[in-house]
Amino acid sequence: MAGPFGDTFVEATTDTALESHTPTGPNAGTAWAAQLGAILVSQVNDWAQSNSDVATNRYGMDNAMGGDEFDVQGNFSTDGTPTPGNLQGVGPVGRKATAAGNASYDFQYDWSVGVNGSWTLNSSDTLDEAWPGGTVTMKLQMRANDHRGFAGAVEKVQLTDNLGAGNQYGGIRLADFQGGGTGRLRCDDFLETLAAAAARAPRSFALLGVG
């Protein structure tokens, strides 16, 4: 069993590109790989933040989970400027074939979807709901045929397919196509955890005779 793997995004001396940052904190992973765009680790704030306002800004942690049933989560926040209709989105991604590869599951809050903005899972299941503000713990939970997105421990979206079976990498997305600056989308306290064996399969018990 591999993991958990995480990152608290601490940099002691200078802002650092996420692919050059060494993960920190309990259960720290080994490295990050860039898929698209640019994410920067803020030395002042100790979080990962969008550094390109013309890209989807996708990265993966370079540690295989040891199985394809796992959870990916982080504490996501903004600088307060994203509003409904903006081409911006944040959230965890999972079941990537490689750390720099495409995600099979993408749970995000997308300000460009719906009237108020929406929680989305692969754009297939959406929930039109305003961003709650502040810092929101978003978790992508992936099981064989049951994939769910949670925000603040409340389920928002679900899919019952089984894409990317066997893929074992997770990551984050801080997508910003709005223009205007760095650091509007943020992630802290990233963590990916392999599903417990008890949650994946029922236990079998032997009946013992007495006498």
Side-chain angles (χ1 to χ4, degrees):
M1 182 178 292
F5 299 111
D7 196 352
T8 55
F9 302 109
V10 174
E11 281 292 340
T13 58
T14 187
D15 292 352
T16 303
L18 185 54
E19 62 268 36
S20 300
H21 161 76
T22 299
T24 55
N27 308 305
T30 57
W32 288 88
Q35 178 188 350
L36 293 167
I39 294 178
L40 188 72
V41 178
S42 169
Q43 179 264 328
V44 172
N45 298 296
D46 293 335
W47 61 40
Q49 62 185 22
S50 55
N51 194 39
S52 173
D53 54 16
V54 293
T56 189
N57 301 325
R58 292 176 178 267
Y59 278 61
M61 178 157 274
D62 200 13
N63 296 91
M65 290 302 298
D68 64 3
E69 296 186 8
F70 59 102
D71 300 340
V72 185
Q73 72 178 55
N75 293 332
F76 292 87
S77 61
T78 79
D79 68 354
T81 61
T83 58
N86 284 9
L87 293 174
Q88 295 168 297
V90 298
V93 301
R95 282 204 179 173
K96 296 160 70 76
T98 65
N102 291 325
S104 299
Y105 290 98
D106 186 341
F107 172 47
Q108 66 171 322
Y109 187 86
D110 190 336
W111 280 267
S112 71
V113 176
V115 175
N116 301 294
S118 295
W119 307 101
T120 71
L121 184 53
N122 287 11
S123 300
S124 298
D125 190 23
T126 64
L127 174 63
D128 192 324
E129 188 175 86
W131 174 253
T135 299
V136 180
T137 300
M138 296 177 64
K139 181 173 76 171
L140 171 62
Q141 177 180 287
M142 294 164 290
R143 303 296 184 264
N145 295 293
D146 185 2
H147 308 278
R148 305 176 187 229
F150 296 84
V154 177
E155 182 181 323
K156 300 296 185 179
V157 283
Q158 180 187 22
L159 292 176
T160 56
D161 51 16
N162 194 22
L163 303 176
N167 293 354
Q168 300 181 19
Y169 293 86
I172 58 174
R173 180 183 185 188
L174 302 176
D176 190 358
F177 292 91
Q178 201 61 31
T182 293
R184 291 182 302 183
L185 308 174
R186 308 151 179 176
C187 177
D188 201 0
D189 299 320
F190 175 85
L191 182 66
E192 49 187 10
T193 308
L194 195 64
R200 295 200 303 267
R203 295 180 180 179
S204 61
F205 296 90
L207 298 178
L208 301 179
V210 178

